[in-house]
Amino acid sequence: MRLLDWKALEAGTLRVNRVVNDGSVEVACGTKDEKAIPESFVDYEEKPREYTLCAITTVLDVHTRVSDLCSNPYSQIGEQLRLTIEDVKERQESELINNAEYGLLNDVAATQRIKTRKGSPSPDHLDELLTEAWKEPSFFLAHPRAIAAFGRECTLRGVPPPTITVFGSPFLTWRGVPPLPDRKAQRRRQSQAKGPWRQVEHPSAARRRKKTRRRRAFSAGASR
């Protein structure tokens, strides 16, 4: 399975050149006479977006007393380096998803955002996402609770999704595309949502809440 591609840069800034209007190119087909061939050109954005590389830095401070007295059976310096590198990698992954400038969640175009119809993500929503990914969809990135809710929706509809093995672990798939879990994909509340992103209550939870209110109202009326 192909994940995100890493692009090598010679400088510290990546400039994204995008076409302003891809339908402005005029072409001729099946010309049999001496008609003039149309002349055209592709217009790009005058001020394209630029991504500047960001460095994640930290300073590891290990006291010599700790490294001298507590390095048996484990090397304290080696363990401190291992844990620090793991935290740096976790922060790198979190910035890749949630960064305000270049994060995947904040950099989605408005035309590629969809709303849930009845709360939890369903197979219909994943089908709509697949229609937006026109170039070799590889995987879905979702919070583990969102994947669990999607599995429940599939079970309710009687269409259990098949599983595949990715990196030695089983994952659910939909249309051959697996949803990969990541707890760093932060869920947005409705008050903090931008655009069509929102948090909707599941219909079954709403029905249970209404039934609870009715029972309380009935018990209060009976006690009176």
Side-chain angles (χ1 to χ4, degrees):
M1 185 184 66
R2 182 176 62 86
L3 297 177
L4 298 178
D5 296 330
W6 293 94
K7 185 177 180 60
L9 297 178
E10 297 181 358
T13 302
L14 172 64
R15 176 176 295 179
V16 181
N17 293 326
R18 293 184 178 179
V19 178
V20 176
N21 186 9
D22 56 355
S24 61
V25 179
E26 298 181 1
V27 297
C29 180
T31 56
K32 298 181 180 180
D33 48 12
E34 298 298 330
K35 291 184 178 180
I37 299 177
E39 297 180 359
S40 181
F41 70 96
V42 179
D43 192 11
Y44 286 85
E45 294 180 354
E46 296 182 358
K47 295 181 180 180
R49 184 172 182 180
E50 295 181 350
Y51 295 90
T52 303
L53 296 182
C54 299
I56 301 177
T57 59
T58 186
V59 176
L60 176 61
D61 186 8
V62 181
H63 202 280
T64 54
R65 180 179 67 256
V66 176
S67 61
D68 293 340
L69 300 179
C70 304
S71 292
N72 189 13
Y74 301 103
S75 174
Q76 290 297 323
I77 297 179
E79 291 298 316
Q80 291 289 332
L81 286 174
R82 179 181 64 83
L83 296 175
T84 303
I85 294 174
E86 289 181 358
D87 289 341
V88 169
K89 292 296 184 181
E90 292 290 336
R91 180 60 182 273
Q92 180 183 11
E93 182 180 348
S94 177
E95 292 294 324
L96 184 64
I97 298 174
N98 300 306
N99 189 278
E101 296 182 0
Y102 57 83
L104 297 178
L105 295 182
N106 298 317
D107 203 32
V108 179
T111 56
Q112 293 186 339
R113 295 176 181 263
I114 63 173
K115 296 181 180 180
T116 56
R117 299 177 181 177
K118 296 181 180 180
S120 300
S122 64
D124 298 335
H125 300 134
L126 267 64
D127 286 338
E128 292 183 10
L129 288 177
L130 289 176
T131 59
E132 301 294 340
W134 58 273
K135 192 175 182 180
E136 297 181 3
S138 180
F139 63 93
F140 298 103
L141 184 65
H143 195 273
R145 292 186 178 180
I147 298 178
F150 170 73
R152 290 191 296 268
E153 289 292 331
C154 292
T155 303
L156 292 175
R157 297 190 180 194
V159 285
T163 60
I164 62 173
T165 301
V166 180
F167 305 126
S169 301
F171 287 89
L172 300 178
T173 59
W174 183 254
R175 310 294 187 190
V177 181
L180 300 183
D182 195 335
R183 294 188 178 275
K184 300 179 183 64
Q186 300 176 1
R187 296 178 299 168
R188 300 168 182 261
R189 296 181 180 179
Q190 188 172 1
S191 59
Q192 301 176 352
K194 295 182 180 180
W197 289 89
R198 58 175 182 171
Q199 184 180 9
V200 184
E201 187 178 17
H202 194 274
S204 60
R207 288 193 296 267
R208 289 194 298 267
R209 181 165 49 82
K210 291 181 180 179
K211 290 181 180 179
T212 304
R213 289 181 178 178
R214 293 175 182 174
R215 292 175 181 174
R216 291 178 179 176
F218 178 78
S219 60
S223 60
R224 292 179 184 176

